Amino acid sequence: MALSNSQYDLLMRIYEQRQLEDEQRLRRQRQEAYKRIPKLRRTEEEISSVSVAKAKNLLDGDETALASAKETLAGLFARKRQLLLDAGFPEDYLEPHYTCPDCRDTGYIGTEKCHCFKKAIIDLLYQQSNLQGILEEENFSTFRLEYYSSNHIDPLTGRSSLEAVKTALKTCRSFVDNFSSEFHNLLLYGDTGVGKTFLSHCIAKELIDASYSVIYFSAVQLFEHFAENTFGGKREEHSDGLAPIYECDLLIIDDLGTELTNAFTASQLFACINERILRRKATIISTNLALDDIKSIYSERIFSRLSSSYTMLRLTGDDIRIQKKLLNLGGTKDVTS
């Protein structure tokens, strides 16, 4: 997955700033050392002069120049280190000290991204996802099936809550495994507090860790964002303001139906869903609404888009938060929504 231009530029500005700070720090340290050790400047000037002279001799065909240069420079560098030590400085005080010595704070080793740059990408994606922190607690490794009963039967499907969540879990894992090669969307709907949001978090963590861009919005936050870009004096920046929503690899819309629904929210929801389908960008929507409610609250065409382009996963069961309270497990992270 490639970063967007704005994301890449942001990271490169960080690396450029880091390089500038490296240079400024080394310059300050050199000035301090020169002030306290007058002989140091002359020694460094001699090192530079010898290097240039020996290089010229080597180019002129003097085959002994390289060995001679190594011997002379070794003595000068030893003198430099001793001058620093005698003045109370570390012997490498005038050497560059990089945040990442492997790439020397450039972000690249040759033409390949350095490990630090790859980590910076993931850190940025976490920061921009609106999910920083929560995904360490809510992920596939912490998802628990014991909160779903084989005795709780869904009257609409005839399936137990355990059967339903096993199907959903398998579908969510497949969603991640095939994300780079297949275009899918998910609608997680059903009872309150049965893990719909938790499952979307599981997917989000896997994809962000694989360097895909993921953005999470509650429905309330999403429509507030649309309203701000439409009515909040940002008309000229409208497309830029909404670009991340339309362009991110995965958009998560949580708790659809909790927002104040009206003609504006319905039209914005359709535009968002439709635009992402056209761009083949994956979306996950979770809601406590029944399918008939989605159709009646929003519109027939929104429901048509969802039914034709989304895999619908119905989850049922007892509210896990209530189960945990009854079991006195309030200190454990909830599998909710």
Side-chain angles (χ1 to χ4, degrees), residues 3 23 28 100 107 114 116 126 142 158 183 292-293 298 310:
L3 291 172
E23 293 172 4
R28 287 194 303 269
C100 178
C114 181
C116 70
Y126 266 102
T142 61
F183 171 59
D292 287 342
D293 293 332
Y298 298 99
Y310 282 64

Side-chain angles (χ1 to χ4, degrees), residues 69-197:
K70 286 181 177 179
E71 182 179 353
T72 303
L73 289 174
L76 290 171
F77 280 119
R79 185 202 304 173
K80 174 182 173 180
R81 288 192 295 270
Q82 193 60 51
L83 287 170
L84 288 168
L85 290 171
D86 290 346
F89 293 107
E91 64 177 27
D92 63 348
Y93 191 64
L94 298 186
E95 300 300 321
H97 292 276
Y98 302 107
T99 303
C100 178
D102 294 332
C103 68
R104 299 188 175 187
D105 292 344
T106 64
Y108 282 82
I109 300 175
T111 59
E112 298 294 321
K113 292 184 178 70
C114 181
H115 60 84
C116 70
F117 194 88
K118 293 176 181 177
K119 183 179 183 302
I121 290 173
I122 293 174
D123 290 344
L124 175 65
L125 294 174
Y126 266 102
Q127 180 184 339
Q128 295 183 343
S129 70
N130 297 327
L131 289 169
Q132 221 169 359
I134 190 67
L135 300 188
E136 292 304 313
E137 301 177 12
E138 298 193 356
N139 51 69
F140 282 126
S141 67
T142 61
F143 192 89
R144 298 290 178 262
L145 292 175
E146 56 259 35
Y147 294 108
Y148 302 87
S149 172
S150 58
N151 297 320
H152 188 291
I153 305 301
D154 182 357
L156 289 181
T157 64
R159 305 179 72 201
S160 71
S161 64
L162 182 59
E163 288 177 299
V165 77
K166 283 182 176 180
T167 297
L169 190 58
K170 181 179 180 180
T171 302
C172 290
R173 288 188 180 277
S174 177
F175 182 92
V176 170
D177 292 341
N178 299 299
F179 192 80
S180 63
S181 58
E182 299 178 8
F183 171 59
H184 291 292
N185 304 292
L186 299 178
L187 175 68
L188 302 167
Y189 73 104
D191 294 340
T192 301
V194 291
K196 298 185 295 296
T197 298

Side-chain angles (χ1 to χ4, degrees), residues 129-131 197 200-201 215-226 245 251-260 265 269 272 284-287 298 337:
S129 70
N130 297 327
L131 289 169
T197 298
S200 68
H201 288 170
I215 295 180
Y216 167 94
F217 280 106
S218 70
V220 172
Q221 292 171 330
L222 179 65
F223 292 116
E224 285 178 350
H225 188 74
F226 282 136
I245 293 174
L251 174 66
I252 298 174
I253 306 173
D254 193 28
D255 270 340
L256 184 68
T258 56
E259 77 285 355
L260 178 63
T265 56
L269 179 62
C272 179
I284 297 176
I285 299 174
S286 72
T287 181
Y298 298 99
S337 299

Side-chain angles (χ1 to χ4, degrees), residues 223-266:
F223 292 116
E224 285 178 350
H225 188 74
F226 282 136
E228 178 64 23
N229 276 271
T230 305
F231 307 117
K234 295 184 178 180
R235 284 181 172 271
E236 293 181 0
E237 304 171 9
H238 179 75
S239 58
D240 290 338
L242 299 182
I245 293 174
Y246 294 145
E247 295 174 0
C248 64
D249 296 312
L250 174 65
L251 174 66
I252 298 174
I253 306 173
D254 193 28
D255 270 340
L256 184 68
T258 56
E259 77 285 355
L260 178 63
T261 54
N262 50 42
F264 173 77
T265 56

Side-chain angles (χ1 to χ4, degrees), residues 290-308:
L291 296 182
D292 287 342
D293 293 332
I294 294 175
K295 186 187 298 185
S296 61
I297 292 173
Y298 298 99
S299 70
E300 182 70 41
R301 66 175 185 165
I302 287 177
F303 185 77
S304 175
R305 287 290 190 278
L306 294 175
S307 59
S308 63

